[in-house]
Amino acid sequence: MKKTLLFLFAAFTLITSEAQNCNAIIFNQEGNRFQVVLNGILQNSAFETNVKITDLNFEGSYKVTILFENSQFENLEKNIYMMENSTEYTYIIKKNKKGRHVLRAQSFVPIAQAPEPSPTQFVRVYSTTPAPAQTVTQTVSTSTVSHHNGAQDNVSMGVNIGCV
């Protein structure tokens, strides 16, 4: 009986602790690519236009710094708050009336009702260690062309460029 109660208590604790996380989506419709820094930790090493960060602590406050790829734009700083558990918050980067970039809350939805990430959306689980540096792998394949006295020539070429 004690083992059963202990198991149920542990399962309940695990389920409720899982449900205490939030997500934040930050995007820019203007197409300006950016990096997200949460509490001083870089979350995406590559510049993106749409970033989703998962597993943020419920009732947490985060200092967000947006670093734009275009050096003509000033860095943007704002505090965001996770007020309701199991909620996905969406923030938009846009220009205010003075032409300066600002970060504004756009919407929030329970995580269970949130849509799946789009293929163009960068998704990262919140981490207290900086995002790993981006590596680029390039493979080039070459082929030879043979000329025969016949009437047929064959050419084959392949190029593979992968970014991680």
Side-chain angles (χ1 to χ4, degrees):
M1 182 69 171
K2 286 183 181 181
K3 288 183 180 181
T4 304
L5 287 175
L6 182 62
F7 173 76
L8 290 174
F9 178 76
F12 178 75
T13 303
L14 182 63
I15 289 170
T16 56
S17 67
E18 284 281 323
Q20 300 293 322
N21 294 329
C22 297
N23 299 338
I25 297 173
I26 301 172
F27 73 98
N28 185 322
Q29 285 185 319
E30 296 173 350
N32 298 319
R33 294 164 27 116
F34 59 89
Q35 292 175 313
V36 177
V37 178
L38 286 183
N39 292 345
I41 308 296
L42 181 65
Q43 297 299 308
N44 58 309
S45 59
F47 290 93
E48 305 285 345
T49 59
N50 190 331
V51 177
K52 178 177 182 175
I53 302 167
T54 64
D55 290 339
L56 296 167
N57 291 329
F58 165 60
E59 291 187 348
S61 168
Y62 295 89
K63 181 176 182 176
V64 178
T65 303
I66 303 296
L67 309 172
F68 289 100
E69 182 178 41
N70 185 339
S71 61
Q72 293 178 352
F73 300 141
E74 290 182 31
N75 293 343
L76 175 60
E77 292 186 3
K78 181 167 178 121
N79 289 327
I80 61 172
Y81 304 93
M82 305 294 121
M83 307 276 290
E84 295 184 32
N85 62 354
S86 300
T87 302
E88 184 166 281
Y89 295 86
T90 302
Y91 297 89
I92 184 171
I93 300 170
K94 63 182 189 174
K95 290 185 179 177
N96 63 10
K97 292 178 183 178
K98 296 178 183 178
R100 298 182 69 158
H101 284 101
V102 292
L103 183 65
R104 298 281 190 241
Q106 172 136 353
S107 64
F108 63 95
V109 65
I111 289 177
Q113 297 174 9
E116 291 293 317
S118 72
T120 59
Q121 185 177 53
F122 176 81
V123 179
R124 169 144 163 106
V125 176
Y126 174 67
S127 179
T128 56
T129 58
Q134 183 180 19
T135 59
V136 176
T137 304
Q138 183 175 4
T139 305
V140 177
S141 174
T142 59
S143 300
T144 58
V145 176
S146 305
H147 290 282
H148 300 284
N149 291 338
Q152 193 175 36
D153 288 336
N154 293 321
V155 177
S156 176
M157 182 174 91
V159 177
N160 181 14
I161 300 174
C163 296
V164 179

